[in-house]
């Protein structure tokens, strides 16, 4: 590799230039990612068929955004960085993280203290965090919102529109990764009708009809509470295979049901939560469907029985972030591409009245003073930023292992093929992209969205998320783009779709640290009685408070807002 920087390919990849300190901290991830694309892949192009110049190959958790944090984690950062250089600035509040929770914290602080000086720091180059996600426009139905979220929308004049059909699959692609014959099946007809067209074994077909129309009671003789306890000890896959004894093809057909929404499949999803989500196979248990189980995951319990579970925010969650920015009127300062590397109380936590925050500006570590600090970032990062936290709190913070997620936005020439086939949202049974949907079809353009859940669900939620994230970081953009084009061609080819002609642009949003983990059975034995790791993790530490969706913990937008308001209340009371 010694001469690659002087080669034509090396120059095209930008490898013939001097290495800056930021490049060093980004480390191998940046170099390997560029090399994996190859010169012909256009390492600096997110829209492969677009003329948009110099857009990043990935959006979201890019190597540039994660490099410094990975260096902190690996113990390399302070080996190379000089001590912080004070800027001389002092703020009433410094927020770490410019996502929904961080912006909510700044907005609420300024509502309570209109003349305050507020600074928001973020390692990404844009404001909004996961609110940038293409799929972030949908939120839970209003009846399940937290009071803080409802009050925020009311203050801003943001009105959510109900969407009865959002999130509903109208078809399933029994893909070649799972079944012998790849078959697209519309699920709009009666269960017996569409199940008859599935490429599964005859015994599986009979089991599927039974699951959907007349499931048995696998726990005869047990009362309702005992049945729920039994469900709480099983994943949905194990319930299907061990309790209902369905054919393996029937379990494989259902496996990706939760993948797009939860980031993992039925080998992680608890059977008690599958029941709450209305998945097939529970009708014979005779359980009361009017109320959740005490073992239900918090989000499942909160949204139980809600008619039309999904609502749309105008402009998505990112629109809510913009509304808060407008309301703040420039009173909060932002420094992007500025990963925080150090947060310290100025003195013992019990008596400290101020704190100091250090961040890397791309050249050196700078520091600012703060009357209060709110960490609206991933909990797993916090122990590296605040190393003097109590040991039990550090352990609890590290327990928040986020679930990876990938989304692709594909700009299309037309929606003709979708119309001819009569599909708009398709679940895939085993391919990399587990869901594909037509998201926009009007005079100003046609776009489709694809979702992938890279977690290795067979390893469990935490271990599977970590393994999936590592695999995702090693996957080049070119491979993800090719897979998106390939699956669209497989889905829509019978409708006349040609990816070479009909795909105009592809953008990939990579969220290695995606969904906040939610406590659920059978994986978290302390749920629902507690105490939970989040309770210990989110404790105030001197002038340092913790927000973010990990503090809930929940991946829902209202939970992130509520966590921000709680942290503000703790520090400004």
């Amino acid at each position: 590799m010694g001469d690659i920087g002087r080669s034509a390919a090396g120059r095209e990849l930008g490898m013939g230039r001097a290495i800056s300190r930021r490049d060093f901290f980004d480390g191998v991830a940046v170099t390997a990612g560029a090399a994996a694309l190859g010169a012909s892949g256009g390492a600096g192009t997110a829209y492969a068929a677009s003329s948009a110049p110099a857009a990043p190959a990935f959006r979201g958790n890019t190597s540039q955004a994660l490099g410094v944090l990975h260096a902190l984690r690996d113990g390399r950062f302070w080996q190379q960085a000089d001590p912080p250089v004070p800027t001389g600035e002092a703020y009433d509040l410094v927020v770490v993280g410019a996502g929904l929770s961080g912006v909510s914290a700044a907005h609420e602080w300024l509502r309570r203290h209109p003349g305050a000086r507020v600074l928001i720091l973020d390692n990404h180059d844009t404001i909004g965090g996961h609110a940038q996600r293409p799929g972030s426009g949908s939120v839970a139905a209003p009846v399940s919102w937290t009071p803080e979220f409802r009050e925020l929308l009311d203050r801003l004049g943001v009105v959510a529109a109900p969407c009865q059909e959002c999130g509903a699959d109208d078809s399933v692609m029994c893909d070649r990764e799972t079944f012998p014959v790849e078959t697209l099946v519309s699920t709009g007809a009666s269960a017996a009708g569409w199940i008859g067209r599935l490429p599964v074994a005859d015994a599986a077909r009979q089991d599927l009809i039974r699951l959907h129309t007349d499931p048995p009671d696998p726990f005869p003789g047990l009362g309702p509470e005992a049945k729920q306890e039994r469900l709480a000890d099983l994943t949905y896959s194990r319930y299907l295979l061990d309790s209902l004894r369905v054919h393996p093809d029937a379990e494989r057909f259902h496996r990706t049901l939760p993948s797009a929404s939860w980031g993992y499949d039925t080998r992680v999803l608890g059977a008690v939560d599958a029941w709450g989500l209305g998945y097939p196979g529970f009708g014979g248990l005779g359980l009361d469907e009017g109320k959740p189980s005490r073992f239900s995951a918090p989000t499942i319990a909160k949204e139980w029985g809600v008619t039309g579970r999904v609502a749309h925010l105008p402009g998505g969650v990112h629109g809510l972030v913009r509304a808060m920015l407008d309301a703040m009127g420039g009173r909060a300062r932002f420094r992007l591409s500025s990963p925080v590397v150090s947060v310290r109380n100025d003195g013992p936590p019990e008596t400290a009245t101020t704190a100091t925050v250090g961040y890397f500006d791309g050249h050196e570590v700078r520091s600012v003073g703060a009357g209060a600090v709110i960490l609206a970032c991933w909990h797993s990062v916090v122990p590296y930023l605040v190393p003097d936290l109590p040991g039990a709190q550090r352990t609890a913070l590290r327990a928040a292992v986020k679930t990876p997620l990938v989304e692709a936005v594909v700009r299309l020439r037309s929606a003709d093929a979708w119309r001819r086939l009569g599909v708009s949202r398709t679940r895939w049974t085993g391919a990399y992209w587990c869901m594909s949907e037509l998201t926009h079809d009007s005079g100003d353009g046609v776009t489709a969205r694809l979702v992938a859940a890279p977690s290795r669900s067979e390893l469990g939620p935490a271990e599977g998320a970590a393994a999936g994230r590592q695999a995702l970081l090693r996957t080049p953009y070119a491979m993800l783009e090719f897979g998106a084009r390939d699956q669209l061609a497989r889905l829509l080819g019978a409708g006349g779709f040609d990816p070479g002609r009909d795909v105009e642009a592809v953008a990939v949003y990579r969220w290695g640290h995606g969904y906040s983990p939610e406590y659920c059975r059978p994986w978290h034995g302390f749920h629902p009685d507690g105490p939970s790791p989040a309770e210990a993790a989110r404790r105030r530490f001197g002038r340092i408070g913790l927000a973010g969706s990990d503090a809930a913990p929940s991946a829902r937008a209202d939970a992130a807002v509520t966590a921000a308001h709680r942290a503000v209340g703790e520090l400004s009371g």
Side-chain angles (χ1 to χ4, degrees):
M1 293 183 60
D3 294 328
I4 190 170
R6 293 186 291 273
S7 69
R11 287 193 299 273
E12 184 164 347
L13 294 172
M15 298 175 67
R17 54 180 170 75
I19 298 177
S20 70
R21 293 179 70 82
R22 180 178 292 279
D23 289 329
F24 175 83
F25 290 129
D26 286 346
V28 175
V30 172
T31 312
L37 293 177
S40 62
T45 305
Y47 289 95
S50 171
S51 59
F58 284 111
R59 300 179 181 188
N61 298 152
T62 63
S63 297
Q64 290 81 359
L66 298 180
V68 168
L69 301 182
H70 287 166
L72 271 177
R73 177 200 63 192
D74 299 338
R76 295 182 286 111
F77 182 82
W78 292 111
Q79 294 176 2
Q80 300 294 325
D82 295 325
V85 177
T87 65
E89 299 167 284
Y91 293 89
D92 299 292
L93 174 69
V94 173
V95 180
V96 180
L100 175 61
S101 197
V103 175
S104 298
H107 178 267
E108 177 63 12
W109 190 280
L110 286 168
R111 188 185 72 83
R112 299 187 186 200
H113 311 285
R117 287 171 50 84
V118 176
L119 173 66
I120 304 177
L121 299 160
D122 198 281
N123 57 316
H124 296 86
D125 59 2
T126 55
I127 298 170
H130 287 178
Q132 305 168 52
R133 288 182 45 231
S136 69
S138 298
V139 296
V143 294
S144 64
W145 290 344
T146 61
E148 295 82 4
F149 189 71
R150 187 186 304 276
E151 290 168 9
L152 175 63
L153 265 60
D154 287 345
R155 288 194 193 103
L156 296 172
V158 175
V159 179
C163 183
Q164 300 292 334
E165 301 301 322
C166 292
D169 301 328
D170 57 29
S171 53
V172 178
M173 175 63 89
C174 297
D175 47 55
R176 63 193 182 211
E177 288 83 354
T178 316
F179 297 106
V181 180
E182 188 159 87
T183 307
L184 175 64
V185 177
S186 174
T187 55
S190 66
W194 61 259
I195 289 172
R197 298 194 297 274
L198 298 178
V200 298
D202 289 340
R205 193 172 288 111
Q206 295 304 312
D207 285 341
L208 286 167
I209 292 174
R210 183 166 52 100
L211 286 176
H212 283 263
T213 60
D214 188 26
D217 182 355
F219 310 131
L222 295 183
E225 300 242 348
K227 289 180 179 180
Q228 291 178 32
E229 287 184 17
R230 187 71 66 87
L231 291 178
D233 289 335
L234 297 167
T235 65
Y236 185 48
S237 284
R238 294 265 56 94
Y239 174 72
L240 293 177
L241 291 169
D242 298 343
S243 300
L244 295 181
R245 300 185 182 280
V246 303
H247 189 280
D249 279 2
E251 184 272 333
R252 280 192 290 269
F253 174 78
H254 289 105
R255 187 174 288 179
T256 58
L257 275 172
S259 296
S261 298
W262 294 86
Y264 47 67
D265 65 34
T266 57
R267 292 172 294 180
V268 167
L269 182 75
V272 71
D273 289 328
W275 168 54
L277 290 168
Y279 291 177
F282 299 95
L285 290 170
L287 297 176
D288 181 2
E289 297 182 358
K291 61 181 180 179
S293 167
R294 65 183 296 267
F295 300 108
S296 297
T299 294
I300 301 291
K302 191 174 71 164
E303 299 178 8
W304 193 275
V306 175
T307 301
R309 292 190 175 192
V310 180
H312 265 307
L313 292 176
V317 177
H318 202 267
L320 175 58
V321 171
R322 287 196 301 270
M324 286 189 285
L325 296 178
D326 291 342
M328 288 189 286
R331 290 178 292 159
R333 295 185 179 183
F334 287 82
R335 287 182 190 154
L336 304 177
S337 298
S338 298
V340 170
V341 296
S342 171
V343 181
R344 300 282 195 280
N345 285 296
D346 296 331
E350 299 78 13
T351 58
T353 58
T354 58
T356 300
V357 179
Y359 64 94
F360 183 61
D361 69 356
H363 304 284
E364 62 183 355
V365 179
R366 313 294 299 274
S367 66
V368 298
V373 181
I374 291 180
L375 302 178
C377 55
W378 311 327
H379 274 190
S380 60
V381 172
V382 172
Y384 302 104
L385 308 184
V386 194
D388 54 342
L389 283 168
Q393 188 170 7
R394 293 164 59 84
T395 299
L397 286 160
R398 289 193 172 111
V401 181
K402 285 182 175 288
T403 305
L405 188 76
V406 192
E407 294 175 285
V409 176
V410 184
R411 192 165 67 232
L412 302 173
R413 186 179 62 85
S414 79
D416 291 347
W418 301 81
R419 297 193 197 98
R420 293 187 189 107
L421 295 174
V423 299
S424 61
R425 180 181 166 112
T426 303
R427 176 175 67 88
W428 296 67
T429 55
Y432 186 82
W433 299 97
C434 61
M435 189 275 292
S436 53
E437 64 177 342
L438 182 65
T439 53
H440 185 69
D441 179 13
S442 68
D444 59 348
V446 177
T447 57
R449 170 176 170 253
L450 290 83
V451 177
S455 275
R456 295 273 307 280
S457 292
E458 72 275 13
L459 302 178
E463 292 80 3
R469 176 164 46 254
Q470 291 302 313
L472 174 60
L473 293 177
R474 293 192 297 268
T475 304
Y477 166 83
M479 185 178 297
L480 295 173
E481 184 207 351
F482 174 82
R485 289 174 177 267
D486 173 63
Q487 285 188 228
L488 285 176
R490 290 157 59 183
L491 172 68
L492 304 170
F497 180 84
D498 180 345
R501 177 195 64 209
D502 295 330
V503 173
E504 296 182 343
V506 179
V508 174
Y509 293 75
R510 182 178 67 182
W511 304 104
H513 300 267
Y515 289 146
S516 292
E518 187 160 324
Y519 299 138
C520 59
R521 300 294 294 270
W523 304 101
H524 303 112
F526 54 78
H527 177 71
D529 299 319
S532 73
E535 294 174 63
R538 65 187 178 223
R539 289 176 187 153
R540 171 182 167 181
F541 183 62
R543 297 306 297 160
I544 303 168
L546 285 94
S549 55
D550 287 348
S554 169
R556 300 305 192 257
D558 61 335
V561 170
T562 293
H565 285 222
R566 177 193 47 76
V568 168
E570 291 175 350
L571 291 166
S572 65

